[in-house]
Amino acid sequence: MPGFDIDGARRWARFDPGHTLARRNDSALPFASAEDVAGQALLLDTCVYIDQMQGRAPDLVEQLVDTRHVNHSIIAVQELVHTLGVARPEDGRTTSVIGAVRAQILAMPDHRVFTPDADVLGRAALLAGMLCRLQGYAQDAKFKALQDCTLFLQAQKLGFTVLTRNIVEFDFLLQFVPTGRALFYRTASLRAK
């Protein structure tokens, strides 16, 4: 397949720990703070858009988005558009959801929207497979793992930091690939988790 070296990917996968991963303590994780407002360019996880649309994004997230260069992945766009497909036409909220998702996508400048290449897609599939095997993910979690792995490796390749509240999965990814970068946050309703 052009752009993807399967033998190189297997060599790259040498970080397979061979055992189930445990979520690390918050003190070991890169949580966003006021000192992090300025810094490396961001790639937004889908949860950031959802939190913004629902008015749940903390002030710190809004400051990060307003201050840093913000980039968007087709992976997040795909997840947002998927929401439209599963929305029930008879539900009264569907029209407002469509409008909010449409506004989010149209606000993304073309020069800041990135599509993962074959190398990222291939390595993400390998990483997601290992993660699913080690963590015993059920069928419904496998697709989400693939999306998270793709976003994470895309950010790494482009030199971006993933902004996310998806703490557990991205902690696992940081344990697999310590050279990747993520910055975590919690919404007010998720502070205790």
Side-chain angles (χ1 to χ4, degrees), residues 6 13-14 20 31 43 55 58 64 72-73 95 108-109 134 141-142 147 166:
I6 193 158
R14 66 189 178 280
T20 302
F31 275 89
L43 189 64
L64 286 163
H72 313 277
S73 174
T95 301
M108 298 174 184
L134 293 171
K142 291 178 180 179
Q147 298 291 75
N166 186 351

Side-chain angles (χ1 to χ4, degrees), residues 16 101 160:
D16 184 343
V101 169
F160 301 152

Side-chain angles (χ1 to χ4, degrees), residues 50-155:
I50 293 167
D51 290 341
Q52 288 179 319
M53 287 185 283
Q54 293 178 345
R56 296 184 322 170
D59 290 342
L60 181 57
V61 167
E62 297 300 343
Q63 291 170 1
L64 286 163
V65 168
D66 289 344
T67 305
R68 292 193 187 196
H69 286 289
V70 173
N71 301 284
H72 313 277
S73 174
I74 287 297
I75 297 302
V77 171
Q78 184 182 39
E79 289 182 318
L80 289 169
V81 172
H82 179 264
T83 302
L84 302 180
V86 298
R88 297 186 181 279
E90 68 275 4
D91 189 325
R93 299 170 293 180
T94 296
T95 301
S96 64
V97 169
I98 291 170
V101 169
R102 181 179 185 280
Q104 281 284 357
I105 292 171
L106 290 177
M108 298 174 184
D110 289 344
H111 71 285
R112 294 260 179 226
V113 179
F114 295 90
T115 301
D117 62 18
D119 177 58
V120 166
L121 292 171
R123 288 187 304 126
L126 179 67
L127 182 60
M130 292 183 332
L131 185 62
C132 291
R133 171 178 45 84
L134 293 171
Q135 300 305 112
Y137 284 173
Q139 189 63 36
D140 59 339
K142 291 178 180 179
F143 177 73
K144 180 73 172 102
L146 180 58
Q147 298 291 75
D148 290 343
C149 289
T150 304
L151 187 72
F152 180 75
L153 293 177
Q154 182 183 26

Side-chain angles (χ1 to χ4, degrees), residues 12 15 127 152-153 156 172-181:
W12 173 82
F15 48 70
L127 182 60
F152 180 75
L153 293 177
Q156 182 189 32
F172 293 159
L173 294 176
L174 286 170
Q175 290 179 57
F176 268 112
V177 187
T179 55
R181 289 180 222 95

